[in-house]
Amino acid sequence: MSPFEAELYTEYQAVLLEVLVPYWVQKRIPEVRLVWREVLATKDGARSCEAAFTRALRVRRSAGETVRMGIAKADPAILSLKKALYNRLGRRHDLMTAFIGRTATVGNEQCPYWPDFAYTEPPRGGNVKAGR
Amino acid sequence: LTRDDRNDRTRRADVCVIGGGLTGLMTAKAALAAGKSVIVVERGREYLPQSQDRKTWWKEAVVAGPEEADGYRHYRNTFDEAAKHFDDLVENESGPPPWNFAYNMWYGIGGASQMWSGLSWRLTPGDFRTASQYGYGTDWPIGYDDLAPFYSRAEHFLEVSGPAPEVRAGYRYWPWDNDFTYPHFPLSYLDRRFQEALGDLGELVAQPHAVRNKPADEGGCVGAKTCVKFCASKAIFKGNERILPDIMFDPNLEILFNTAVTRLDWSNAEGRITGLQAVTHGEDAPFVIEAETYFLCGNTFENIRLIQHSEARHGRPFGAASPLVGRYFSSHGAVTYTVVMAEDVYPARGRPTHASVIEWVNRPDGAQRGGVTMEVWNSDFTMGYAPWQHFQAHAAQGHWGGHLFNLLESYERRFCISMIFETEMTADKRVTLSPARVDKFGIPVGRVDLGQSAVDAATLAQAEALAARIGARPQLADFFENGRGINGNHPLGGLRMSDSAATGVVNARCRSHDFANLYILGGGAFCSTGSFNPTLTIMALAIRAFEDPDLGWADVPF
């Protein structure tokens, strides 16, 4: 790969990621880019991405369009990258809660495992009737 | 020892309890208090989730996975790491549409109470006389007033949290006079916003829960949302956690784990159960248990299977009520909808459920249709509980890019409601034995056939009409049905209560008409399903059975 191609390849990776995870989501959870790098660091990821890049160079389309067409036409290289990325994201619970903007139970007034919990009143008369 | 003694593997006790679930453990406790010796036969084992591992809280849910075979739908339950925890999960076959019967349970001490969310509704007075009041089904041989004191005792034993009289006074419909131990769990933000959407159509009322609503550091609910499988603070009532520790060291109690009763023995001439045959898994030879009194405390479904299998092995009927065993079996129907609100309602907080609409149970006399209740779930469980599960589910559906993340944003606006409705018990709705499949003890798997009667169709139409009106509310951005079926966790009837063996299997104290020393507890005795979770009624009926004058037990500890 020539230095020019290498630069193009780096940009292609960023475009590919942006199609799969739009820029507004990347801004909200920047760790997505780290996960994407992990995907590309795998043997399958690198091979698929290079294959998709080579194909993208051969056609007169924008890079993003080749990715969208790849998904629509079930290009195995694009699909395997998409699957690998989404699988990794789906397993990253912290990223998804960051996206939602809260943990699953934040604001739960009854959970002592989270700060600022409060509880409801004690039973009437202060005793438990069962077992009497 | 003589040779005969060594060979005699017969076990004897005053009381033999078949099944170590909720009613089984209650029976053991009551019998021990009455000074009896007790053998409990439990087919499963003790199940201990990993309480320190938060991840397991999300994972531990039983799911019934369907597969088609022999023209029937077969359900084998699945469970994360099933092999680690279970070698014996419940399975059953379900008849052709309109209804499938998925039965999500595992065998083990504590039984179905292990996966009970603690909803402790009573049946309404009208549920006990559907024939005379609404024109379908059969009246119970007892009325609501007969059971009311036992309901109260069951509520105290379970330490139910529910709305106080001054709160209930403001409700449009609340037909009971309860004396709850703890105040109700407050309605969530989601409930309150959804109430605004419902408007006058229905009023959300606080549900009674067998969950201690007290400070978390005193053992109250911590809102971990794991009630159905495991409670972080032991606030929810589970038979194995609340009853077993009280009795497990009693020298008069013997619990046989991993042991199934494979045959009941009886004498129709004497009208008595004479013994039973049990097998411990992994051991070849069955052994006999003899007792003065027997309590059949398996799940309704299991009780019916055991009786029918015993009849097949003996080749003779189980008393005069034999033709009625497995007949008039039913459960609750439910249609579940996904609600996507126009604004964020922040699901997945606190207890899994808080609020129900119950006023639609209140129907005119002669209505010829069953009651309908609506339960609000505070997450869209069809997509999974947590945000990452929603992400995985959407991605698995083929969504990608900006659309995928836009869909994920609906997580904050999305939850489910269930329209739960009464089904009619008819002679055609029944449990029989599978001709082909057997479980690991060689007992045929049960086969459930449920039709849809005219009353069911009218009730379902009412439920769907109400749902359509909810879906049309302007506060909702989207509303769609995501599942329907018969709730397999509420198997009811099939061993119904009646005045004589010509019309039912047990009497008003849940004692067999044909066999004086046999009590059959659980949901089998129900003569109508009602529209509410049956556990509290099952417990009230059990306590009433323990006080049967013919049984003569003193100091019933409930």
Side-chain angles (χ1 to χ4, degrees), chain A residues 131-132, chain B residues 26 29-31 33-34 153 157 546-547 553-558:
Chain A
R132 67 180 177 181
Chain B
M26 286 175 72
K29 186 175 163 114
R153 287 164 65 180
F157 178 64
F546 304 147
E547 297 204 339
W553 288 358
D555 303 325
V556 172
F558 300 106

Side-chain angles (χ1 to χ4, degrees), chain B residues 65-77:
Chain B
E67 58 182 86
E68 301 288 343
D70 313 323
Y72 270 71
R73 183 161 287 191
H74 181 76
Y75 286 93
R76 172 77 187 173
N77 286 342

Side-chain angles (χ1 to χ4, degrees), chain B residues 120-297:
Chain B
S120 303
W121 293 107
R122 300 182 180 197
L123 295 185
T124 67
D127 290 330
F128 291 87
R129 40 190 166 82
T130 56
S132 51
Q133 189 158 342
Y134 303 121
Y136 63 86
T138 318
D139 286 354
W140 292 52
I142 55 172
Y144 174 79
D145 291 339
D146 296 313
L147 208 53
F150 300 96
Y151 270 134
S152 292
R153 287 164 65 180
E155 282 169 351
H156 289 170
F157 178 64
L158 291 169
E159 299 174 64
V160 176
S161 304
E166 57 271 24
V167 177
R168 304 196 296 258
Y171 289 159
R172 297 206 294 219
Y173 178 69
W174 188 278
W176 311 287
D177 181 23
N178 315 71
D179 179 26
F180 293 122
T181 305
Y182 295 107
H184 65 280
F185 287 87
L187 300 198
S188 65
Y189 181 75
L190 182 156
D191 293 325
R192 285 181 275 131
R193 295 308 298 271
F194 189 49
Q195 177 66 73
E196 287 171 20
L198 286 175
D200 258 2
L201 186 55
E203 181 190 35
L204 287 172
V205 300
Q207 298 163 339
H209 280 128
V211 177
R212 292 167 172 161
N213 185 3
K214 60 180 181 176
D217 47 9
E218 293 172 25
C221 175
V222 300
K225 293 187 58 63
T226 55
C227 327
V228 171
K229 46 258 188 194
F230 167 75
C231 176
S233 63
K234 309 276 186 263
I236 191 170
F237 187 98
K238 308 254 178 195
N240 48 322
E241 289 173 5
R242 292 279 181 86
I243 308 178
L244 187 61
D246 291 351
I247 57 175
M248 61 197 286
F249 297 116
D250 194 307
N252 285 326
L253 174 69
E254 185 177 14
I255 303 180
L256 307 174
F257 285 102
N258 250 330
T259 303
V261 175
T262 50
R263 196 184 73 197
L264 289 173
D265 299 328
W266 65 87
S267 161
N268 282 331
E270 293 173 36
R272 294 186 70 77
I273 300 292
T274 55
L276 56 83
Q277 198 181 73
V279 180
T280 300
H281 189 62
E283 293 178 16
D284 295 335
F287 58 90
V288 171
I289 300 175
E290 289 175 359
E292 283 173 15
T293 315
Y294 298 83
F295 281 80
L296 202 40
C297 293

